[in-house]
Amino acid sequence: MKMNAGKYPEFPRIVPCDAEDELLNTRYAKRREMQEIIPNLFLGPYAVAKKNQLEHLQRTGITHIVCVRSPAEAKIVKPNFPEQMQYFVVEISDKNSQNIIQYFPQVKRFIDGCLQSSGKVLVHGMVGFSRSAALVIAYLMETYQLSYTDSLRYVSERRPCCWPNIGFQHQLEEYEYIITARRQVSDLRKETLFGGQTMVGSKRKFEEVT
């Protein structure tokens, strides 16, 4: 189904993933799987990137992986297929105080490089709820000029258990202002350079890929 930026179907209220077990067992039955958020961009848990998952990843067509882990998780969460996949490792803990905004531009460049080369990318953390979800939300915000709220809604519709911690939520809200300010400066420069003529933007429209 095609989606227009800023125009989304209604879906149940988003709740944190530490909700009662009964809700987790019904609504989040696929939380141990990866979901395709937009064509060729997947979000999921480390369970889908373990050593016994190579065949499944290759069958899906995954060529790039963003591996999100804390330093304490490094012995468990690993780039298991460095010869078959291209990796970008983000070392950050799932804590409110952690600075995740610094990684948004780096992850965007990695994902863009993958998609522009006709690859498929998986973004995963330990469980695929908070850190990795925040990175995917930020990617959609900047790539398709979506608001934080719209990007969160869209990602949550595809993977209902995603729920960035409160610190990451605040940084995503801050990032929306950064993106907006950057776009305004860019538009002003275009008006100055091209005498106010309308320029065709290079950014892809959200509805073109959904």
Side-chain angles (χ1 to χ4, degrees):
M1 177 177 64
K2 288 195 171 185
M3 303 282 290
N4 295 320
K7 197 172 184 179
Y8 299 86
E10 294 296 326
F11 55 94
R13 181 176 63 91
I14 302 170
V15 297
C17 284
D18 59 354
E20 58 186 286
D21 290 342
E22 181 179 353
L23 181 58
L24 288 175
N25 289 334
T26 55
R27 248 189 103 191
Y28 303 148
K30 295 184 178 181
R31 64 192 182 279
R32 295 186 180 87
E33 302 174 11
M34 60 181 172
Q35 283 78 42
E36 191 170 22
I37 306 303
I38 59 172
N40 303 328
L41 171 57
F42 294 76
L43 172 62
Y46 176 59
V48 300
K50 289 184 176 181
K51 289 184 177 180
N52 63 349
Q53 294 296 314
L54 178 59
E55 182 179 346
H56 175 60
L57 291 172
Q58 291 180 325
R59 190 167 58 249
T60 304
I62 300 298
T63 58
H64 294 61
I65 295 179
V66 178
C67 173
V68 189
R69 66 187 187 186
S70 69
E73 294 169 333
K75 292 183 178 180
I76 302 172
V77 181
K78 302 176 181 179
N80 290 313
F81 315 111
E83 296 182 359
Q84 293 89 357
M85 315 276 178
Q86 292 187 43
Y87 278 86
F88 184 78
V89 178
V90 177
E91 293 213 343
I92 187 169
S93 300
D94 188 15
K95 297 179 180 178
N96 294 338
S97 60
Q98 293 291 288
N99 178 4
I100 197 171
I101 199 171
Q102 64 181 311
Y103 295 108
F104 293 164
Q106 301 173 48
V107 171
K108 175 171 168 53
R109 285 193 293 271
F110 182 80
I111 294 176
D112 281 342
C114 169
L115 300 183
Q116 289 166 8
S117 64
S118 300
K120 294 186 179 183
V121 58
L122 164 65
V123 182
H124 77 75
M126 176 63 85
V127 293
F129 291 174
S130 180
R131 294 168 291 183
S132 54
L135 294 173
V136 171
I137 289 167
Y139 178 80
L140 295 186
M141 288 170 60
E142 185 164 6
T143 302
Y144 303 108
Q145 300 182 3
L146 296 179
S147 68
Y148 160 62
T149 301
D150 284 345
S151 186
L152 172 63
R153 282 178 176 271
Y154 185 81
V155 174
S156 297
E157 186 183 52
R158 266 97 184 125
R159 183 169 173 78
C161 58
C162 83
W163 189 256
N165 71 46
I166 191 66
F168 295 166
Q169 291 181 40
H170 289 326
Q171 290 177 68
L172 286 163
E173 291 171 344
E174 180 184 348
Y175 200 55
E176 181 177 342
Y177 288 108
I178 293 173
I179 294 170
T180 300
R182 188 186 301 154
R183 187 166 63 247
Q184 290 173 344
V185 170
S186 177
D187 290 345
L188 182 60
R189 286 176 177 171
K190 288 177 182 177
E191 289 180 8
T192 302
L193 289 173
F194 299 98
Q197 295 181 10
T198 301
M199 301 297 296
V200 178
S202 61
K203 288 194 177 289
R204 290 172 290 170
K205 292 182 179 180
F206 190 62
E207 57 268 26
E208 291 176 353
V209 299
T210 54

